[in-house]
Amino acid sequence: MCDGKLGLKFIHLCDVWKPLLKRQWIYRVNSVSGRNFSVNNGCTGTKKDTEGPFPAAYRPREVERGWSEWWEARGFFAPDAVPSPGAAAVFSMVLPPPNVTGQLHLGHALACTVQDVLARWRRMRGESVAWLPGLDHAGIATQALVERTMWHEERLTRRDVGREAFERRAEAWAERQAHAISGQLRRLGLSLDWSREFYTMDAKQCAAVTEAFIHLFDAGLVYRDCSLVNWSCALQSAISDVEVVHRAFEKATLVPVPGHSEPVEFGTLTDFAYKLCDSDGEVVVSTTRLETALGDVAVAVHPRDPRYAHLRGARVWNPLARRQMPVVFDECVDMKLGTGALKVTPGHSAVDFDLARRHGLEVVSVITEDGTLGENCGQFSGLKRFDARRGVRDALARMGLLRGRRDHAVQVPFCSRSGDAVELLSRPQWFIRCKAMAEEAAAALQDGRLVIEPQHFEKVWYDWLYNIRDWCVSRQLWWGHRVPAYRCARPGAAEGEGTWVSASSEEHARRKAAAQLRLGAEEARQLSVSQDGDVLDTWFSSALVPFSALGWPEQSADFKKYYPLSLMETGHDILFFWVARMAMLGLQLTCRLPFEKILLHGILCDAHGRKMSKSLGNVVSPEDVIYGISAQELQDRNLQKLRSGLLSETELRKATDGQRKLFPSGIPECGADALRFTLASHNVKSTFINFDVAECHANSLFCNKLWQAARYTLLSLERLSPRLGAASAAPGTYDRWVLSRLARAVAEVERSLSGSDLHSAAAALRAFVHQEFCDVYLEATKLCTRGEGGGEEAAAACHTLLCCLDATVRCLAPFMPFLSEELYQRLPLERAAETVALAPYPTPEQWEQWRDEALESEMRTVLEVVSALRRLKGAYIQCAKRPLAYLLVKDEAGRETLQDHVALVAHLARCESVAVVDALPQAARATAASCCVGPDCTVYLQHQGAAAAAREDIANRRDKISKELDRLLKMTASSGYREKASPQIQSTHMAKIETLKTELKRLDNLKVPS
């Protein structure tokens, strides 16, 4: 029973640990059996009750309940939450704002986990951490979803309801999704400062977007031009490269395309002839887009192609467009592709567009914004583009100009939002000149002002910036930031005439235009002013986030203190679309880099190394892992998505089949802590990261192991409290060993987190908690705390258990915030902070005094002996439950050392007894199996007549492992393996090979007597 004197006794006994802990520890006993105690924690918010009985089982749903609400209510994650003497170091980040298009997936959870681990770690080190949450309005993606939902539910288009009504619908959608996403972020336990939350369409962000565009426009960096852009006919808008997905077709393949009742064929090459105008003869050209022949303006050949040398100055006749076309010579032509003659269609090809500019050719567009052929296409006008393909082919055949058709490998661009085949169309758009800004961003990396990890992405950074094209920032959408550009025209001006200015309002535009045109007040009032109807590319507003989220263009206190950001962490797949543009605009608009360091994580894949996609059925929601989900519920959700129009019939079948294979029994409940720890346990700097639900479940069991260790400690305290004396309780051998191992783990965690190597820190903590603290030390304490034990040895063990638990909980807090908080509040100690999130993070300096290399070496030998005995026991089909064991040691010093640990060896190896000998007893020589532990020690295990079966079992296991090893070695050595297998698959295979080799060596080391 706990009494009032126990606390005083622990104050006295804790004196040994004071130099280590650097603070007063007062242990208290929280009864595991149900007795309560009260502690005034000073919390004015609603705090979860942890005063009651310590639950026997770890239940993640119960452990994680309530903490996020309490953290937020108490304001623990505000930058000034850490009380620090003097000026604290500042660490600032912005969470890459998720799109308000739907729920977060595991890719978001990965990014959030990486950032939260770093933010929590730095906050616990006493730094002033500003980590800002936000949401992105996701213009094109949100509009596509809202339009799809409107059509599916009401058979309405955006033009049916009008722009204002459509914008209200999009706002309502975004509000619903924003609420769902913020709930997901809180369930992950993220330490975001919600008081600084932003949204890319809120008033402050809109003001920043307008200011940025005006600044760039007035600096001559924004211009309007008629140029080729990626165009989605289904969306009737220009789209960015990130929304374009290239699909490869090796041969003729039928593909459904929006707006066409029948599938469209891709993967063929058609040859047809253009006749020479002034002589007999023809030039045969090849194309995968026969319908664009109506827009051909020339035929191009290579200057060194001898087949066409005689055609200099020649012209050919285009019978479809009824125009003469020159034959031009240009080195961009591939002599080996097709016939070596290239039809030039500058209105629908980037290569041809550049070629046309070099040769002064006309740019003719024949495909309109809605995907039909234009008025300049004669008999084909008004036809859908792919329907016109058949008509053009038939017309060429009637004219005797068709020369053949064959399969041809081709990459076709598709819109990821609509599934439509992307066209290149020449349309008036707003562009940003990027060359000078890109060169400055590249120079920042070169001179060391900017750091990128992993380092190999530096080359990618340079390649993209030095080969950058101007950025098309206008989109023909209704959802987003309206382009702050106004056409100002004098009365009577023709349509399309006038002066463009960028301004914050119509009146502002009128004043700027009047000043530019030098007009008087009356003339200025008569100007016709109209705003451009387009909206800005979502990446434009996102590129401002590092400074707009902190109050720019105002010189706010947040902007002055937290800009530039300390770190920008995001996926490497948006290095160009977002990160580089943030750097360019930050330098241009604020004259400073927006961040000091870029940390890029890889793309999350499933357990088989496949990218996650809804068509494969391998997309996993974080909630499914946190709370678990049955196989039937997964299928029901797919059906709901089909009914909502979010999945097609084809996608439904693929998703269902994929989920049945990946999750035949559904997904078990793992909890947010296990999910976070699993994500952090992988090298996030890898190009690809494989996520396995089975690994996540194993980490949930790891959480349970720590939970049970804490419960064991509290039970031991309660049981031993009447017998714990007031002796000095100096740490014993195993106490000093585990503290030395803890010191080593703390140092490794510090080193790893400093280098953003989360996986190394996670591995160090897992190894310490699982393999050393729980599997060895905790078991060792049972030798002195159970039965009639007590006194100094038991007291020291209790102190060490609590000491290790406290340090471990604080070390794990950035990775497992919920479990760490729960245990931090339940452990019987006077806490250094109200929450573990603000408790001091263990540092190597605090623990260095406990490092003991000699003792660690000694215990390494002891544990190798235990491992050898366990392997021998595992080799037997029939073996006594607790057999006899002998340790044959050659030198006397070694025997004395092992003799000190025989009780622990017997306990860990589950042996009846362990004898340390210099010669094996005669009776054991013929019946004991053996295994070498280094050159001076051999362990023997007494068996009970199962030697033959053991030998057969070892031989069978060896044969099985050898066959698997041979198979892997042959596969990895085969021709083409390096080229065909992905890097992550190769890494998995190499790790498996090393594991099999190690297991073979262990089996070879086992000796079973005849």
Side-chain angles (χ1 to χ4, degrees):
M1 181 178 294
C2 305
D3 59 29
K5 297 179 181 179
L6 182 61
L8 295 175
K9 293 175 183 176
F10 273 97
I11 292 173
H12 175 71
L13 294 178
C14 199
D15 288 345
V16 177
W17 276 263
K18 282 182 182 178
L20 164 65
L21 300 171
K22 306 290 188 183
R23 61 186 175 91
Q24 178 78 20
W25 274 35
I26 305 178
Y27 294 127
R28 55 178 168 76
V29 173
N30 178 10
S31 173
V32 182
S33 60
R35 290 183 296 278
N36 296 331
F37 68 94
S38 61
V39 168
N40 179 14
N41 54 43
C43 175
T44 58
T46 302
K47 178 177 176 289
K48 182 178 177 181
D49 179 22
T50 56
E51 309 294 322
F54 195 98
Y58 167 70
R59 294 186 177 89
R61 194 176 305 226
E62 287 302 310
V63 168
E64 294 169 8
R65 176 183 52 83
W67 289 123
S68 286
E69 294 82 355
W70 181 62
W71 292 331
E72 189 174 342
R74 297 289 290 123
F76 290 140
F77 303 139
D80 57 357
V82 181
S84 344
V90 170
F91 182 79
S92 54
M93 282 193 305
V94 169
L95 178 72
N99 293 342
V100 291
T101 49
Q103 302 292 295
L104 302 184
H105 51 68
L106 281 181
H108 293 107
L110 172 66
C112 291
T113 297
V114 172
Q115 292 165 51
D116 195 38
V117 169
L118 297 175
R120 284 178 176 273
W121 172 61
R122 289 184 174 274
R123 191 180 292 110
M124 292 176 73
R125 292 191 349 160
E127 297 182 32
S128 176
V129 175
W131 186 27
L132 280 63
L135 290 168
D136 197 302
H137 67 281
I140 195 165
T142 299
Q143 176 157 322
L145 277 171
V146 174
E147 286 195 80
R148 187 188 305 173
T149 303
M150 285 172 52
W151 179 254
H152 183 79
E153 295 177 352
E154 306 173 67
R155 286 296 186 265
L156 292 175
T157 68
R158 57 175 161 142
R159 289 181 172 79
D160 291 333
V161 300
R163 185 162 188 159
E164 288 187 7
F166 179 80
E167 287 177 341
R168 287 195 296 271
R169 287 172 179 253
E171 287 171 3
W173 170 283
E175 187 175 346
R176 289 194 301 273
Q177 295 309 121
H179 180 74
I181 290 170
S182 65
Q184 286 185 290
L185 296 175
R186 287 172 167 91
R187 281 190 288 277
L188 284 168
L190 305 186
S191 60
L192 291 157
D193 180 7
W194 291 100
S195 68
R196 287 174 166 81
E197 186 178 11
F198 66 90
Y199 172 47
T200 53
M201 287 287 282
D202 64 31
K204 289 184 178 179
Q205 296 298 306
C206 288
V209 168
T210 299
E211 177 66 23
F213 191 90
I214 293 172
H215 176 99
L216 295 170
F217 187 98
D218 292 345
L221 295 174
V222 171
Y223 66 95
R224 188 170 176 82
D225 190 22
C226 192
S227 186
L228 286 184
V229 292
N230 297 317
W231 188 270
S232 169
C233 298
L235 297 173
Q236 294 191 34
S237 172
I239 60 177
S240 68
D241 291 340
V242 75
E243 277 122 8
V244 177
V245 177
H246 288 85
R247 297 174 58 184
F249 301 103
E250 299 297 324
K251 59 181 181 180
T253 307
L254 294 175
V255 180
V257 173
H260 289 265
S261 56
E262 296 180 0
V264 176
E265 186 178 70
F266 296 97
T268 61
L269 195 67
T270 302
D271 298 335
F272 69 95
Y274 280 133
K275 295 292 186 180
L276 295 173
C277 292
D278 300 325
S279 62
D280 291 336
E282 64 185 28
V283 178
V284 178
V285 296
S286 303
T287 182
T288 60
R289 295 293 308 275
L290 198 57
E291 65 277 11
T292 62
L294 292 155
D296 286 356
V297 296
V299 171
V301 296
H302 197 281
R304 294 192 297 277
D305 194 332
R307 294 172 293 178
Y308 303 110
H310 65 288
L311 294 182
R312 289 189 179 275
R315 301 179 73 82
V316 297
W317 175 250
N318 184 335
L320 300 170
R322 305 190 65 78
R323 71 169 71 93
Q324 289 189 9
M325 305 185 305
V327 177
V328 299
F329 291 77
D330 198 288
E331 292 191 352
C332 78
V333 179
D334 184 352
M335 290 186 285
K336 297 179 181 179
L337 180 62
T339 63
L342 174 73
K343 61 187 284 297
V344 181
T345 320
H348 302 287
S349 164
V351 173
D352 296 3
F353 187 84
D354 292 340
L355 187 150
R357 285 190 168 179
R358 288 196 295 273
H359 295 274
L361 302 173
E362 181 185 7
V363 176
V364 177
S365 294
V366 294
I367 298 174
T368 63
E369 294 176 353
D370 64 359
T372 59
L373 268 63
E375 296 178 354
N376 57 345
C377 295
Q379 61 179 313
F380 304 106
S381 295
L383 288 177
K384 293 179 180 178
R385 52 191 165 147
F386 295 118
D387 292 342
R389 180 181 293 181
R390 290 191 294 270
V392 170
R393 184 168 56 242
D394 292 344
L396 289 171
R398 287 194 300 270
M399 291 183 241
L401 298 176
L402 206 59
R403 296 293 180 264
R405 183 166 165 270
R406 59 192 182 278
D407 288 342
H408 178 69
V410 65
Q411 294 267 348
V412 180
F414 283 83
C415 174
S416 64
R417 307 299 181 186
S418 64
D420 191 18
V422 172
E423 294 291 342
L424 285 175
L425 300 188
S426 178
R427 290 292 180 272
Q429 301 286 340
W430 291 102
F431 292 86
I432 295 179
R433 305 182 200 277
C434 294
K435 189 174 186 298
M437 290 191 294
E439 288 175 352
E440 190 173 357
L445 179 64
Q446 195 166 23
D447 61 26
R449 286 178 290 150
L450 180 65
V451 174
I452 296 180
E453 288 186 9
Q455 197 171 0
H456 63 261
F457 280 105
E458 290 184 359
K459 182 180 184 304
V460 182
W461 180 266
Y462 289 131
D463 288 347
W464 191 77
L465 289 174
Y466 286 139
N467 295 284
I468 199 169
R469 300 170 72 100
D470 285 354
W471 177 13
C472 174
V473 292
S474 49
R475 299 289 180 265
Q476 290 63 55
L477 304 172
W478 287 357
W479 176 242
H481 297 102
R482 189 92 170 259
V483 176
Y486 296 78
R487 188 196 295 272
C488 303
R490 298 173 188 268
E495 185 178 353
E497 289 185 354
T499 297
W500 283 101
V501 296
S502 180
S504 58
S505 65
E506 185 175 315
E507 184 56 34
H508 184 204
R510 188 183 303 277
R511 292 197 305 271
K512 290 186 75 171
Q516 186 174 322
L517 298 172
R518 299 181 180 179
L519 301 178
E522 183 60 32
E523 290 177 300
R525 281 193 293 272
Q526 294 177 4
L527 281 175
S528 171
V529 180
S530 59
Q531 187 176 1
D532 193 299
D534 291 350
V535 300
L536 288 166
D537 179 12
T538 304
W539 293 107
F540 182 81
S541 54
S542 297
L544 310 179
V545 158
F547 39 98
S548 65
L550 293 169
W552 185 91
E554 301 296 328
Q555 295 295 307
S556 66
D558 277 1
F559 181 78
K560 293 176 180 177
K561 184 173 183 180
Y562 301 117
Y563 186 82
L565 302 177
S566 307
L567 178 69
M568 174 49 64
E569 195 285 334
T570 188
H572 68 73
D573 52 328
I574 54 174
L575 179 61
F576 313 139
F577 307 112
W578 191 42
V579 183
R581 287 168 174 168
M582 284 190 287
M584 291 192 299
L585 291 187
L587 285 165
Q588 179 65 35
L589 297 172
T590 72
C591 300
R592 301 172 70 183
L593 278 167
F595 30 71
E596 301 166 359
K597 181 179 177 180
I598 300 167
L599 176 62
L600 302 171
H601 66 251
I603 296 172
L604 202 66
C605 302
D606 66 16
H608 303 291
R610 303 174 303 175
K611 290 184 181 180
M612 292 188 175
S613 71
K614 62 181 181 180
S615 63
L616 291 175
N618 60 354
V619 174
V620 180
S621 164
E623 282 84 354
D624 293 344
V625 180
I626 294 172
Y627 301 121
I629 187 170
S630 69
Q632 185 59 51
E633 287 173 318
L634 285 171
Q635 305 307 321
D636 292 344
R637 182 191 295 164
N638 290 338
L639 290 172
Q640 181 59 40
K641 288 181 179 178
L642 174 69
R643 288 191 286 268
S644 302
L646 299 177
L647 277 180
S648 66
E649 290 280 1
T650 302
E651 289 172 330
L652 173 68
R653 287 193 296 272
K654 288 182 178 180
T656 301
D657 290 343
Q659 287 174 348
R660 283 173 180 163
K661 292 176 182 177
L662 277 172
F663 317 116
S665 303
I667 299 173
E669 179 182 355
C670 299
D673 283 326
L675 171 60
R676 290 168 56 109
F677 197 72
T678 301
L679 294 169
S681 295
H682 292 271
N683 185 354
V684 297
K685 298 177 186 176
S686 299
T687 306
F688 297 97
I689 301 162
N690 294 359
F691 178 84
D692 192 345
V693 169
E695 183 184 353
C696 199
H697 181 57
N699 281 323
S700 183
L701 298 178
F702 170 65
C703 293
N704 180 62
K705 200 167 188 74
L706 183 60
W707 181 266
Q708 296 303 333
R711 185 169 184 270
Y712 165 81
T713 299
L714 296 177
L715 279 167
S716 298
L717 281 171
E718 182 182 18
R719 186 175 62 252
L720 295 172
S721 59
R723 299 194 301 274
L724 292 178
S728 60
T733 300
Y734 302 132
D735 303 322
R736 290 185 289 106
W737 170 77
V738 78
L739 291 171
S740 180
R741 296 305 297 170
L742 177 57
R744 187 179 295 276
V746 168
E748 175 60 21
V749 169
E750 172 77 13
R751 184 197 64 78
S752 299
L753 290 181
S754 296
S756 302
D757 293 319
L758 277 62
H759 65 295
S760 298
L765 289 170
R766 183 184 177 89
F768 172 74
V769 173
H770 199 295
Q771 300 167 17
E772 297 167 347
F773 180 64
C774 291
D775 286 359
V776 178
Y777 178 71
L778 190 143
E779 290 296 320
T781 64
K782 294 177 182 179
L783 299 175
C784 67
T785 61
R786 287 190 170 177
E788 297 302 319
E792 292 185 9
E793 194 175 359
C798 288
H799 275 81
T800 306
L801 284 167
L802 281 167
C803 185
C804 290
L805 277 173
D806 175 75
T808 299
V809 162
R810 287 184 286 129
C811 279
L812 279 170
F815 299 89
M816 298 178 171
F818 296 113
L819 177 58
S820 297
E821 188 71 75
E822 185 88 12
L823 293 180
Y824 184 77
Q825 299 296 337
R826 288 183 178 274
L827 284 176
L829 54 94
E830 184 181 31
R831 293 176 286 275
E834 187 177 354
T835 169
V836 72
L838 300 181
Y841 202 80
T843 63
E845 294 76 20
Q846 293 173 322
W847 295 86
E848 185 61 33
Q849 62 174 308
W850 290 99
R851 292 289 288 269
D852 190 331
E853 297 288 347
L855 180 55
E856 287 193 36
S857 177
E858 179 180 316
M859 283 296 295
R860 196 176 301 120
T861 301
V862 171
L863 296 178
E864 286 173 359
V865 168
V866 173
S867 179
L869 286 171
R870 287 173 174 173
R871 286 200 301 275
L872 282 173
K873 289 180 67 177
Y876 283 91
I877 296 174
Q878 299 174 6
C879 180
K881 188 174 182 180
R882 299 184 72 86
L884 303 177
Y886 300 93
L887 308 183
L888 180 59
V889 185
K890 294 180 180 179
D891 66 291
E892 184 177 352
R895 287 194 297 273
E896 290 178 356
T897 297
L898 285 174
Q899 187 62 50
D900 293 337
H901 302 287
V902 288
L904 179 63
V905 171
H907 179 66
L908 295 179
R910 301 293 187 269
C911 292
E912 178 67 26
S913 67
V914 175
V916 181
V917 297
D918 57 359
L920 194 65
Q922 184 65 35
R925 291 179 184 175
T927 59
S930 64
C931 181
C932 291
V933 181
D936 299 321
C937 179
T938 304
V939 301
Y940 290 83
L941 191 71
Q942 189 77 44
H943 67 77
Q944 295 180 332
R951 284 195 301 274
E952 183 180 356
D953 183 44
I954 292 171
N956 289 339
R957 286 159 60 187
R958 195 187 191 291
D959 183 58
K960 183 179 179 180
I961 292 172
S962 296
K963 287 179 179 178
E964 176 66 8
L965 180 60
D966 289 343
R967 184 187 69 81
L968 284 173
L969 290 173
K970 287 178 182 177
M971 180 179 66
T972 54
S974 63
S975 60
Y977 171 80
R978 293 284 181 187
E979 291 74 25
K980 294 178 182 177
S982 65
Q984 65 269 29
I985 293 297
Q986 292 184 41
S987 176
T988 300
H989 287 160
M990 292 302 107
K992 180 66 173 175
I993 287 171
E994 291 305 313
T995 300
L996 293 174
K997 287 180 177 179
T998 300
E999 185 60 25
L1000 272 182
K1001 289 180 181 179
R1002 287 177 175 175
L1003 288 175
D1004 289 340
N1005 202 27
L1006 298 180
K1007 306 296 180 184
V1008 179
S1010 303

